[in-house]
Amino acid sequence: MKTTTNLQRRKLLKYAALGIAGAVTSPASAKPGGFVRVNAPSAGFYPDVEIDLIQNTAEAAIFPGETTRIWKITGKVIKGPSGVLDNNEGTYLAPTLRFKKGQKVRLTLNNNLPAQSILHWHGLHVPANMDGNPMYAINQGETYVYEFEILNRAGTYFYHAHTHSVTARQVYSGLAGLLIVSDDQEQALNLPSGDLDVPLVIQDRSFDDQNQLLYSAHMMQRMQGFLGDRIMVNGRPDYVLPVATRAYRLRLVNGSNSRIYKLAWDDDTPLTVIGVDGGLLEKPEQHAYVMLAPGERLEVWMDFSKRAPGAELSLRSLKFDIAAHGGMGMMGMGMMRGGMMAVSSLPSGSDYPLLKIRVAKKEQGHNILPEVLTPITALQVKHAENAANPRTIALSMQHMSALLNGRSYKMNDIQPDEIIPVNSLQLIEFDNGFDGGMQGMMMSMPHPMHVHGEQFQIVKREVNLRFNDSRASVASGFIQSGWKDTVLVMPGEKVTILKPFNDFKGLFMYHCHNLEHEDLGMMRDFLIK
Ligand code: C2O
Ligand code: CU
Ligand code: CU
């Protein structure tokens, strides 16, 4: 273990020397509690909020009978307003953190797990050495100090383990939680708040008959991505949300390893979407159903004021075609159908309930949905540094690997086409077999593509005609507006985005957020310089 520690540290110092990773200059030092710091808090940083996080093995009473062994993050507020932390006790879910834009936060991560690990703040615009790149993983007994200012607009962000080749298993064990940001502009809208503002983290898990988490990582499962047979919401099974006859702000987070949801209310009420990954939309949008892939978030407005106490409603995932039927893509998918699809008794793309809502009490209140939510400046292609020459990222899968532009993840392996000038706007296209070619010969799977750092906007979504039929069952479930950090790219699609790379130099990852794909190597770094 010591060797790894030293290796890690040498890596940090090397990056620091290159001016890439920022200052990790202070030597390791013991701190109270016996944890060894790999970096030190900086003297000139005055946090508004300071929280100690500790990662431990733990047990939770998820079901009657045997407790479930989990990996649990527990937080302790050192400094900060009340309500900044909720430990979500009794579940594997990591603490919910609530910050305000402009706050300076110090998060001290103590790793007491018998494994290397590092946390990443998904969707936040933070310096490279605060972003939880796998090269910063710390060992058991070590501490990583994060310090950054919350620059993001109000929104539903999250955080999770990002450890090289074991992210999927670590997130599955419990290393993921919510990070909610608010700001003045959003607060002025008077959206439902307090009990009326409900985060719903949707995940799938499998348990054995001793109530223990099951996770197998055999190759077939890794190629498809893990699919559990139980839906968990906020770390609990058979989730029921009691509501009053009021309007609610529901924040849906897909924290699953690989499962994609086609969300809809079971009584055909359209979904009123008010926000996505990077916060509120300009205006509410209504959709019969919405696709939510791993890593994506969705804010939904739902008014229960016309419903009678006792009434029930379910949020479901509806049936959709996950398979691609485009030409030779069939070959791969045939294998998936026969082999991998059988991995879960709750197949991806089938019809099943996610959670139940029960109208529990009558209550009067203000239930008006604002017509305009927030101004969003549309990014313009002509302002992109590479407007005439988009960066194409080809998504592909072969028998034992999942690749980006034919490459697999490797630490510190920046290729010339992965270098981006700081403070530039980039036009990037994710190509999942849109252009046919060799992609058509291989397995076609959906890939939720995520880029670290600042939020982006979707410019367009194109589909290869050969895939039109298989795509019909998901076609109207994409939200194209607002600020995003993760976008689902279906087989045969090409999705073009505009992404700013402002303020921070260093390494920022781009990868598939199907966590098994990520661990299989479908991940790379951009070097911003
Ligand atoms: Cu939520 Cu690099 O990921
Ligand atoms: Cu991220
Ligand atoms: Cu993928």
Side-chain angles (χ1 to χ4, degrees):
M1 256 207 172
K2 264 286 145 282
T3 349
T4 326
T5 311
N6 292 335
L7 195 110
Q8 214 72 26
R9 200 157 291 127
R10 257 182 283 127
K11 226 172 276 151
L12 295 180
L13 291 170
K14 182 177 154 211
Y15 278 97
L18 289 171
I20 290 173
V24 184
T25 45
S26 43
S29 62
K31 66 167 215 141
F35 286 93
V36 176
R37 286 185 185 126
V38 302
N39 62 343
S42 43
F45 185 87
Y46 302 101
D48 303 297
V49 180
E50 188 170 358
I51 295 174
D52 273 6
L53 298 169
I54 182 159
Q55 303 188 146
N56 264 316
T57 54
E59 287 176 24
I62 298 174
F63 300 100
E66 294 277 321
T67 54
T68 305
R69 288 188 297 276
I70 56 167
W71 282 7
K72 178 71 181 173
I73 303 175
T74 307
K76 191 171 143 221
V77 180
I78 307 298
K79 180 183 178 194
S82 69
V84 73
L85 172 88
D86 175 350
N87 271 322
N88 294 310
E89 268 160 53
T91 76
Y92 59 77
L93 200 67
T96 301
L97 307 174
R98 288 178 191 269
F99 298 135
K100 281 210 180 81
K101 184 176 179 176
Q103 277 176 336
K104 290 199 166 70
V105 302
R106 174 181 291 148
L107 299 160
T108 303
L109 174 66
N110 301 300
N111 182 19
N112 200 26
L113 293 170
Q116 281 204 342
S117 167
I118 194 70
L119 291 178
H120 160 64
W121 320 99
H122 179 125
L124 291 195
H125 181 40
V126 298
N129 61 335
M130 295 293 138
D131 191 50
N133 188 290
M135 70 175 170
Y136 298 115
I138 53 172
N139 291 313
Q140 184 168 31
E142 292 186 331
T143 294
Y144 197 96
V145 182
Y146 296 91
E147 292 173 333
F148 49 83
E149 183 179 337
I150 304 289
L151 299 173
N152 286 66
R153 58 206 293 272
T156 310
Y157 304 95
F158 77 128
Y159 64 98
H160 56 80
H162 216 307
T163 320
H164 182 36
S165 76
V166 289
T167 291
R169 189 182 282 272
Q170 296 197 345
V171 167
Y172 189 73
S173 305
L175 302 189
L178 280 160
L179 194 160
I180 293 171
V181 175
S182 68
D183 65 26
D184 293 344
Q185 195 274 331
E186 171 224 23
Q187 291 298 303
L189 286 171
N190 242 321
L191 294 172
S193 63
D195 288 349
L196 308 176
D197 176 354
V198 185
L200 298 164
V201 180
I202 307 171
Q203 294 172 310
D204 56 340
R205 295 286 184 270
S206 290
F207 297 88
D208 66 15
D209 51 11
Q210 247 87 79
N211 294 342
Q212 301 311 312
L213 285 164
L214 278 175
Y215 183 83
S216 80
H218 57 81
M219 190 46 73
M220 285 308 240
Q221 172 163 298
R222 293 169 72 196
M223 292 298 278
Q224 183 188 289
F226 171 86
L227 293 172
D229 50 22
R230 275 198 95 120
I231 299 300
M232 310 291 285
V233 175
N234 296 340
R236 300 187 188 282
D238 308 313
Y239 196 83
V240 181
L241 177 69
V243 299
T245 50
R246 297 284 305 272
Y248 278 71
R249 176 182 191 177
L250 304 175
R251 302 173 187 256
L252 304 166
V253 181
N254 186 346
S256 311
N257 282 27
S258 87
R259 187 178 287 274
I260 298 168
Y261 304 98
K262 177 179 174 178
L263 302 170
W265 295 114
D266 70 344
D267 68 349
D268 296 334
T269 305
L271 280 167
T272 301
V273 177
I274 59 170
V276 289
D277 305 348
L280 295 172
L281 300 179
E282 211 156 19
K283 299 183 187 80
E285 280 182 23
Q286 296 215 323
H287 291 254
Y289 63 87
V290 177
M291 303 304 296
L292 195 70
E296 288 187 303
R297 289 89 69 204
L298 196 67
E299 292 196 29
V300 167
W301 170 280
M302 185 59 173
D303 185 357
F304 301 104
S305 64
K306 305 252 148 52
R307 295 177 192 249
E312 286 188 347
L313 178 76
S314 285
L315 185 68
R316 292 188 77 83
S317 185
L318 303 182
K319 201 167 149 27
F320 67 94
D321 235 328
I322 194 156
H325 304 314
M328 300 287 279
M330 276 287 268
M331 237 165 59
M333 291 317 295
M335 182 175 77
M336 312 254 326
R337 282 251 152 109
M340 298 188 231
M341 293 301 216
V343 165
S344 175
S345 62
L346 193 63
S348 182
S350 56
D351 181 6
Y352 51 91
L354 300 172
L355 61 96
K356 192 183 273 183
I357 288 179
R358 185 173 294 142
V359 182
K361 61 176 177 198
K362 255 200 133 57
E363 205 179 279
Q364 294 299 323
H366 171 82
N367 302 312
I368 311 286
L369 173 62
E371 267 170 53
V372 177
L373 296 164
T374 186
I376 291 184
T377 314
L379 299 173
Q380 310 243 351
V381 173
K382 63 171 189 246
H383 294 150
E385 184 239 23
N386 62 337
N389 183 26
R391 291 169 189 273
T392 303
I393 297 168
L395 319 178
S396 64
M397 295 200 77
Q398 296 168 6
H399 26 283
M400 295 300 163
S401 52
L403 305 169
L404 298 173
N405 281 340
R407 298 178 191 128
S408 204
Y409 177 68
K410 228 171 118 196
M411 218 179 269
N412 188 22
D413 175 43
I414 305 300
Q415 296 302 312
D417 60 332
E418 294 175 312
I419 299 175
I420 291 178
V422 69
N423 298 324
S424 69
L425 180 67
Q426 298 291 322
L427 191 61
I428 300 175
E429 44 187 45
F430 297 111
D431 186 340
N432 192 8
F434 172 72
D435 292 329
M438 58 171 219
Q439 177 70 26
M441 305 291 285
M442 298 173 219
M443 251 184 265
S444 297
M445 283 199 65
H447 299 291
M449 294 305 301
H450 170 52
V451 191
H452 285 206
E454 266 176 290
Q455 301 281 318
F456 55 73
Q457 291 180 3
I458 299 173
V459 177
K460 60 183 173 189
R461 184 181 281 279
E462 296 164 276
V463 62
N464 184 307
L465 288 178
R466 290 188 298 132
F467 290 82
N468 257 347
D469 290 351
S470 63
R471 215 174 141 278
S473 64
V474 299
S476 66
F478 301 110
I479 313 285
Q480 303 278 98
S481 49
W483 291 101
K484 297 280 292 168
D485 56 50
T486 307
V487 62
L488 178 57
V489 189
M490 293 298 286
E493 281 189 338
K494 179 165 79 180
V495 178
T496 306
I497 65 165
L498 271 171
K499 183 178 186 304
F501 290 84
N502 291 327
D503 308 322
F504 302 124
K505 296 182 179 179
L507 298 183
F508 289 91
M509 315 200 87
Y510 60 104
H511 60 89
C512 178
H513 221 284
N514 175 319
L515 299 183
E516 281 73 25
H517 289 182
E518 172 180 337
D519 286 344
L520 269 180
M522 205 169 191
M523 172 163 84
R524 297 286 302 172
D525 283 308
F526 283 130
L527 172 60
I528 316 306
K529 71 175 203 185

